[in-house]
């Protein structure tokens, strides 16, 4: 090459136009994973409104929101956990254990205010156990949280056995499902939105959020950039446990029943919703808006099928299928794109 | 042996091979002929394209232009398996054996001799392994696991594996870098006996004594281009070096004279059991200190420990007089240390993240206002550095993986210079980047030292070390064996210290 290569015509500020492959902002927005989830959501809402009797009513949308409230709450920290390349499968068991502890403490006679606070502390501790096993012991979170999933659920049975505690005061149970005045929308929707904004800002607009993507894409480079990788992961697992317990308190009041088997298997719905929302199971990619879309999409499909009298076994098949599709589809698309790229003649 | 029938086509030849990665031309018009019964040396600086050439022969890369001929017939290697079928075997510097399998199973992986009922016939496998080792004249127990074998023995297992499928072309990519003197001798006698049995051997090494002792012909490459091929008898070390470098060393490495200031980095008695021991040195403001030595001498490990990536057992690190807590990169950054790591793709950058996010990753908190980061502030900060380092990029929002190696390195430098460090540690700052950018990096380092930074540079490229450094520290097997001021540092004095000989000066 000629020696004048050291003084290039274009510096960083004077960026040369890209000759080919240049796309408009609109095209780029449409190409994101989030937008395809939102698109799928709109299509399924439209289809359900037209095909399923009773779907498009205010009453039903209230039920739909209550139905997905726990999934939506837990999905928020789960998104951050999966973006860093980890996973927390113990969330549903944390919810169940919280519910069991809540019932037992109520039987003992503690006031519900105190119980709620204790439950959140419990969730933080359960999350910390996961986090410490992942960070200090250096174990893969998949293995750790499968273990604690069984362990926490087992503990729940030890504490409450097969019984249900169902004599919570109506002021609390009714309050949990109360609607915002004059609307069919339950107040929990408000809490979900507030938390979604908090987690969304945290993920997309803070230094902490940036470090999560760096860790998820390449945790070695993150470490070399001075990011405290292990501490960050520990914080996320604690957040995940705490929010799972919050969902547990809500779940118990919503159904007016503390049981050890509450929310059994819910972790799969949460993970399905997050992945459906365009978050990569391999870490480093995803947006919170997409996850909200994923949660709503999952909720819409389940709600519509329930209204159409489809059995619960069928629902579980649908959830599982969505989970697999959400993992397989982005990879397949990526592979097709890569093949198209290599097929292009070298410029 | 000396007279070969010229009519027989060589078992492997490359004709006008070119290969580029993005904007980097790794190979351009390279031709090479590997003849039966010959040991052929390939010489070139780091980044000259040797590894790309090896990977092309091994079927890992496909040439963009030109062709590979096997026995004179044009052939395409679509995969390493194709190359293997054509009789090409590659012995890498770090062998890749399955540590928990036996030596024999490693050799016959996927081709195990079977007895009745498709069960693996261990007896036959062990006997075949013994026969292979006998041909090589070495003794390794076939049934022992590969784990725990020395690098030298692992290479011999790889060679035995190559012989087991009758490889006619054996590529050895810097096989001696991690070997001791006697191990090198043993490897050489194996290579000679393979040659005498009619194999074509390609030998890559940075050690001229080895190249001249072992090889029949030498091919020199520079900046991805073929330079020359000559019989050893017609060459001297000087000619080869001149062809490899192709330019006056002094013009390429413009270290300005600078004022020395206070001691900024002070390392004392740094020890990590089994990796490095009693490492002590200091670096002053305005000074470039090079840490030279062979691959595996422990240089990168030392700078990683200084920066806090790895922990150490004993010793202290001080920055401008203040002790640094160990194992905390964030604390090192706060104290003013920056580390441009050895492995750009794995340690320096998050490849799928955008250029601007990579460039600002170290300054996330500094760029945020009220805890929130705006895209605008990241973009502005990245633009400043893209401009200053003359980054050649499409858009700063593109993934950093779309850049050439040299421009990727500029992003790593930007990321660290943006932290306004007082001590800049660079580990192999110009590895695998093109000549033009290399000169830019050297100019930049020199300029930074002139501004009063303390620069510690790990480098395996002797010309770079000799051209850039005010002082050269040489490491051998985890210890500093020599400290040479600029005036006393020569290729010989550094190499002596790096190979563990006593200083000659």
């Amino acid at each position: 090459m000629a020696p004048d290569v050291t003084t290039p015509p274009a510096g960083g500020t004077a960026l040369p136009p890209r000759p080919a492959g240049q796309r408009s902002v609109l095209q780029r927005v449409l190409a994101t994973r989030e937008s395809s989830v939102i698109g799928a959501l709109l299509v399924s809402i439209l289809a359900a409104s037209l095909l399923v009797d009773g779907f498009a009513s205010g009453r039903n949308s209230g039920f739909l929101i209550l139905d997905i409230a726990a999934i939506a709450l837990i999905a928020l920290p789960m998104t951050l956990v999966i973006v860093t390349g980890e996973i927390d499968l113990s969330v549903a068991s944390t919810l169940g254990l919280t519910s069991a502890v809540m019932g037992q403490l109520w039987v003992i006679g503690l006031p519900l205010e105190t119980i709620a606070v204790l439950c959140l502390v419990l969730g933080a501790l359960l999350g910390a156990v996961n986090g410490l096993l992942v960070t200090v012991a250096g174990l893969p979170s998949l293995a750790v949280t499968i273990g604690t999933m069984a362990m926490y659920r087992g503990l729940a049975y030890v504490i409450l056995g097969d019984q249900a505690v169902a004599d919570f005061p109506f002021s609390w149970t009714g309050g949990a499902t109360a609607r915002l005045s004059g609307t069919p929308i339950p107040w929990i929707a408000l809490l979900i939105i507030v938390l979604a904004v908090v987690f969304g800002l945290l993920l997309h607009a803070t230094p902490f959020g940036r470090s999560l993507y760096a860790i998820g894409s390449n945790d070695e480079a993150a470490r070399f950039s001075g990011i405290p990788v292990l501490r960050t992961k520990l914080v996320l697992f604690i957040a995940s446990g705490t929010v799972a317990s919050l969902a547990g308190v809500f779940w118990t009041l919503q159904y007016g029943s503390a049981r050890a088997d509450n929310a059994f298997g819910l972790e799969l719905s949460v993970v399905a919703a997050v992945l459906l929302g365009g978050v990569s199971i391999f870490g480093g990619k995803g947006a919170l808006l997409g996850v909200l879309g994923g949660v709503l999409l999952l909720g819409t499909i389940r709600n519509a099928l329930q209204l159409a009298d489809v059995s619960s076994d069928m629902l579980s098949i649908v959830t599982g299928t969505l989970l697999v599709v959400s993992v397989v589809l982005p990879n397949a698309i990526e592979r097709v794109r890569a093949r198209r790229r290599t097929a292009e003649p070298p410029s | 042996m000396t007279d070969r029938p010229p009519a027989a086509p060589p078992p492997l030849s490359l004709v006008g091979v070119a290969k580029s990665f993005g904007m980097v031309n790794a190979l351009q018009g390279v031709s090479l002929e590997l003849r039966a019964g010959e040991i052929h040396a390939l010489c070139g600086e780091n980044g000259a394209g040797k590894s790309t050439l090896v990977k092309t022969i091994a079927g890992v890369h496909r040439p963009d232009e030109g062709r590979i001929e096997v026995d004179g017939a044009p052939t395409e290697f679509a995969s390493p398996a194709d190359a293997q079928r054509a009789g090409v075997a590659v012995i890498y510097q770090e062998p890749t054996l399955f540590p928990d399998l036996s030596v024999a199973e490693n050799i016959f992986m996927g081709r195990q001799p079977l007895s009745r009922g498709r069960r693996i016939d261990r007896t036959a496998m062990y006997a075949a392994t013994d026969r292979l080792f006998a041909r090589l004249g070495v003794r390794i127990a076939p049934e022992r696991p590969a784990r725990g074998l020395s690098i030298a023995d692992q290479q011999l297992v790889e060679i035995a594996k190559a012989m087991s499928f009758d490889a006619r072309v054996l590529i050895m990519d810097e096989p001696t870098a991690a070997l001791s003197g006697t191990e090198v001798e043993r490897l050489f006698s194996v290579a000679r006996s393979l040659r005498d049995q009619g194999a074509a051997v390609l030998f890559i090494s940075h050690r001229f004594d080895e190249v001249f002792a072992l090889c029949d012909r030498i091919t020199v490459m520079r900046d991805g281009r073929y330079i020359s091929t000559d019989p050893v008898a017609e060459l001297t070390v000087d000619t080869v070096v001149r062809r490899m470098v192709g330019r006056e060393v002094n013009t390429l490495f413009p270290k300005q004279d600078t004022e020395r200031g206070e001691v900024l980095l002070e390392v004392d008695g740094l020890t990590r059991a089994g990796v490095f021991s009693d490492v002590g040195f200091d670096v002053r403001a305005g000074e470039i200190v090079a840490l030279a030595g062979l691959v595996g001498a422990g240089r990168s490990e030392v700078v990683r420990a200084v920066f806090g990536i790895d922990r150490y057992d004993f010793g202290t690190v001080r920055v401008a007089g203040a002790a640094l807590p160990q194992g905390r990169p964030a604390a090192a950054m706060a104290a003013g240390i920056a580390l441009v790591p050895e492995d750009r793709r794995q340690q320096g950058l998050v490849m799928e993240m955008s250029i601007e996010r990579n460039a600002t990753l170290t300054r996330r908190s500094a760029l945020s206002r009220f805890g929130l980061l705006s895209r605008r502030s990241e973009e502005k900060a990245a633009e400043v550095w893209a401009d200053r380092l003359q980054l050649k990029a499409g858009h700063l929002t593109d993934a950093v993986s779309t850049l050439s190696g040299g421009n990727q390195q500029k992003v790593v430098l930007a990321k660290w210079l943006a932290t306004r460090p007082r001590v800049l540690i660079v580990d192999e700052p110009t590895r695998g980047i093109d000549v033009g950018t290399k000169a830019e990096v050297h100019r930049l380092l020199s300029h930074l030292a002139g501004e009063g930074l303390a620069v510690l540079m790990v480098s395996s490229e002797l010309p770079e070390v000799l051209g850039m450094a005010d002082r050269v520290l040489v490491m051998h097997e985890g210890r500093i064996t020599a400290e040479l001021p600029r005036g006393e540092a020569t290729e010989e004095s550094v190499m002596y210290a790096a190979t563990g000989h006593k200083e000659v000066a």
Side-chain angles (χ1 to χ4, degrees):
Chain A
M1 252 185 223
D4 65 284
V5 75
T6 52
T7 53
T13 42
L15 297 166
R18 274 206 301 198
Q22 178 73 313
R23 295 180 303 173
S24 73
V25 174
L26 183 69
Q27 276 172 314
R28 258 182 290 163
V29 167
L30 288 179
T32 59
R33 292 177 174 202
E34 297 87 79
S35 57
S36 38
V37 182
I38 306 288
L41 174 64
L42 294 178
V43 168
S44 55
I45 288 177
L46 195 67
S49 307
L50 292 176
L51 299 175
V52 181
D53 264 351
F55 178 83
S57 70
R59 224 173 93 83
N60 185 52
S61 44
F63 282 132
L64 195 158
I65 291 168
L66 280 176
D67 196 35
I68 59 167
I71 297 177
L73 286 173
I74 301 173
L76 299 175
M78 183 72 84
T79 303
L80 275 58
V81 170
I82 295 182
V83 163
T84 55
E86 303 289 343
I87 197 161
D88 184 355
L89 293 177
S90 71
V91 283
S93 297
T94 301
L95 194 162
L97 180 51
T98 304
S99 186
V101 168
M102 195 173 163
Q104 198 56 264
L105 292 178
W106 175 248
V107 169
I108 292 171
L110 290 187
L112 273 171
E113 292 84 355
T114 316
I115 293 175
V117 172
L118 287 176
C119 282
L120 293 189
V121 173
L122 171 73
L125 286 175
L126 297 176
V129 169
N130 286 332
L132 289 172
L133 284 170
V134 170
T135 56
V136 176
L139 303 170
S141 55
L142 186 70
V144 166
T145 59
I146 284 179
T148 53
M149 173 170 84
M151 203 172 99
Y152 295 167
R153 186 66 75 181
L155 271 174
Y157 280 106
V158 168
I159 287 170
L160 206 57
D162 286 339
Q163 52 166 328
V165 176
D167 57 347
F168 296 106
F170 178 75
S171 59
W172 283 76
T173 53
T177 55
R179 307 298 201 260
L180 294 171
S181 58
T183 69
I185 299 169
W187 67 268
I188 191 74
L190 218 56
L191 178 66
I192 293 171
I193 290 171
V194 169
L195 282 180
V197 169
V198 169
F199 275 96
L201 282 177
L202 193 62
L203 180 62
H204 296 296
T206 65
F208 181 78
R210 288 289 186 280
S211 66
L212 301 187
Y213 286 99
I215 293 170
S217 302
N218 181 347
D219 67 344
E220 196 181 359
R223 217 154 58 89
F224 272 87
S225 302
I227 293 169
V229 174
L230 298 182
R231 204 172 65 203
T232 304
K233 287 182 177 175
L234 180 60
V235 167
L236 291 184
F237 277 106
I238 292 175
S240 177
T242 310
V243 174
S245 280
L246 175 68
V249 172
F250 177 74
W251 183 291
T252 308
L253 295 174
Q254 178 189 1
Y255 297 104
S257 172
R259 296 174 55 94
D261 66 351
N262 269 348
F264 187 84
L266 195 77
E267 67 279 337
L268 285 188
S269 301
V270 174
V271 173
V274 172
L275 299 187
L276 205 55
V279 176
S280 166
I281 186 73
F282 304 109
K285 287 197 192 84
L288 205 82
L289 189 64
V291 170
L292 292 179
V295 172
L296 283 173
L297 178 58
L298 192 73
T300 302
I301 294 173
R302 287 167 55 104
N303 179 271
L305 292 178
Q306 273 166 344
L307 285 179
D309 264 342
V310 174
S311 74
S312 66
D313 299 338
M314 197 61 207
L315 285 182
S316 144
I317 292 176
V318 169
T319 308
T321 310
L322 283 176
L323 179 63
V324 172
V325 167
S326 63
V327 175
V328 172
L329 205 61
N331 279 317
I333 292 172
E334 195 53 43
R335 212 165 297 163
V336 169
R337 278 194 194 146
R339 198 169 304 157
R340 212 176 292 163
R341 264 199 300 272
T342 49
E344 276 169 16
S347 49
Chain B
M1 278 311 295
T2 46
D3 282 319
R4 290 182 203 88
L12 187 97
S13 51
L14 304 185
V15 184
V17 166
K19 175 80 194 172
S20 58
F21 301 99
M23 286 155 66
V24 177
N25 296 317
L27 294 177
Q28 292 179 72
V30 174
S31 298
L32 181 69
E33 205 174 75
L34 302 181
R35 296 175 186 159
E38 175 193 69
I39 301 180
H40 194 119
L42 184 61
C43 292
E45 282 186 285
N46 290 348
K50 304 187 300 282
S51 297
T52 311
L53 184 76
V54 168
K55 285 183 179 160
T56 307
I57 298 176
V60 178
H61 295 325
R62 277 214 253 179
D64 299 333
E65 286 168 39
R67 62 182 186 276
I68 298 173
E69 292 181 357
V70 175
D71 294 325
T75 313
E76 271 204 28
F77 292 162
S79 69
D82 279 0
Q84 202 178 79
R85 267 191 295 277
V88 176
V90 183
I91 315 298
Y92 293 100
Q93 188 179 333
E94 304 276 334
T96 49
L97 298 177
F98 302 102
D100 294 312
L101 298 184
S102 72
V103 166
E105 279 168 320
N106 267 289
I107 292 175
F108 290 101
M109 176 52 64
R111 302 167 295 130
Q112 295 93 339
L114 299 178
S115 62
R116 266 186 311 136
R118 294 195 51 79
R119 285 178 41 232
I120 293 174
D121 187 345
R122 287 182 195 281
T123 326
M125 192 163 71
Y126 291 155
T129 306
D130 271 331
R131 278 197 299 279
L132 288 170
F133 283 139
R135 267 174 71 192
L136 291 173
V138 298
R139 296 181 70 106
I140 299 172
E143 64 281 352
R144 66 154 295 167
R147 190 185 297 282
L149 286 176
S150 69
I151 297 268
D153 283 346
Q154 292 181 43
Q155 286 174 345
L156 290 171
V157 173
E158 294 271 15
I159 293 173
K161 183 175 171 181
M163 289 168 57
S164 74
F165 54 79
D166 296 316
R168 299 174 305 142
V169 180
L170 194 65
I171 319 284
M172 302 168 110
D173 191 359
E174 295 195 50
T176 59
L179 302 192
S180 70
T182 47
E183 289 170 336
V184 170
E185 267 316 309
R186 188 174 57 164
L187 184 71
F188 282 8
S189 62
V190 166
R192 288 193 186 100
S193 84
L194 288 172
R195 170 189 64 189
D196 296 341
Q197 291 166 27
V201 179
L202 181 67
F203 180 79
I204 298 170
S205 173
H206 282 295
R207 299 180 184 170
F208 293 117
D209 50 341
E210 295 176 359
V211 167
F212 279 83
L214 182 68
C215 301
D216 302 305
R217 289 195 301 158
I218 299 177
T219 290
V220 178
M221 286 181 67
R222 182 174 76 228
D223 304 336
R225 289 164 208 266
Y226 167 87
I227 302 297
S228 67
T229 302
D230 296 284
V232 165
E234 296 169 18
L235 290 170
T236 65
V237 174
D238 279 348
T239 2
V240 175
V241 169
R242 220 171 310 131
R243 286 178 188 173
M244 276 169 56
V245 180
R247 59 189 100 80
E248 285 305 311
V249 168
N250 293 336
T251 59
L252 183 62
F253 306 98
K255 170 67 172 90
Q256 311 157 351
D257 284 327
T258 52
E259 292 265 324
R260 307 274 169 86
E262 50 167 339
V263 173
L264 285 184
L265 177 65
E266 228 178 321
V267 175
D268 192 33
L270 209 63
T271 301
R272 180 185 167 105
V275 185
F276 51 82
S277 56
D278 200 22
V279 171
F281 58 86
D282 50 43
V283 187
R284 291 173 175 277
E287 200 180 28
I288 297 182
V289 173
L291 202 49
L294 299 176
V295 171
R299 298 165 301 163
S300 295
E301 288 77 1
V302 168
V303 296
R304 285 168 59 122
V306 167
F307 187 65
I309 298 290
D310 298 337
R311 301 191 72 85
Y312 46 86
D313 302 322
F314 307 104
T316 53
V317 176
R318 290 170 177 279
V319 179
L324 202 63
Q326 72 155 307
R328 288 182 47 205
M333 287 165 67
I337 304 188
L339 170 65
V340 173
E342 181 183 18
D343 186 338
R344 184 166 57 234
R345 303 174 60 84
Q346 194 54 39
Q347 301 164 341
L349 296 169
V350 181
M351 293 306 278
E352 55 204 57
M353 241 162 50
S354 69
I355 298 165
E356 61 186 21
R357 294 245 165 117
N358 268 289
T360 56
L361 195 56
T362 48
R363 299 192 62 224
R364 302 181 312 284
S365 304
L367 289 175
S368 63
R369 295 187 59 188
F370 310 115
L372 296 185
L373 262 177
S374 73
R375 259 222 54 207
R376 189 78 201 104
S377 64
E378 286 179 307
E379 195 181 314
K380 266 161 71 182
E383 267 174 9
V384 169
W385 284 98
D387 200 27
R388 199 171 299 175
L389 297 183
Q390 301 186 325
L391 189 74
K392 276 166 264 173
H395 291 262
L396 294 181
T397 49
D398 288 347
V400 76
S401 58
T402 60
L403 298 179
S404 69
N407 282 295
Q408 286 176 6
Q409 187 71 338
K410 285 185 181 177
V411 177
V412 184
L413 283 164
K415 162 181 169 179
W416 285 109
L417 294 179
T419 65
R420 308 232 162 264
R422 289 191 287 177
V423 178
L424 177 66
I425 306 176
V426 287
D427 195 349
E428 304 288 0
T430 61
R431 174 181 284 176
I433 67 182
D434 59 287
V435 187
T437 313
K438 221 172 190 171
E440 282 180 70
V441 170
H442 288 147
R443 228 186 334 262
L444 179 69
L445 291 178
S446 175
H447 176 73
L448 291 169
E451 286 185 343
L453 260 74
V455 179
L456 177 63
M457 176 180 79
V458 175
S459 175
S460 297
E461 295 188 43
L462 269 182
E464 180 169 275
V465 167
L466 300 178
M468 292 294 296
D470 294 303
R471 269 188 301 140
V472 181
L473 304 166
V474 189
M475 281 189 73
H476 170 68
E477 292 182 349
R479 287 172 183 280
I480 291 185
T481 49
E483 177 175 346
L484 306 163
R486 189 184 183 86
E488 287 173 29
T490 63
E491 202 149 320
E492 291 76 25
S493 62
V494 173
M495 279 318 285
Y496 269 117
T499 49
H501 294 83
K502 278 289 149 228
E503 292 167 57
V504 283

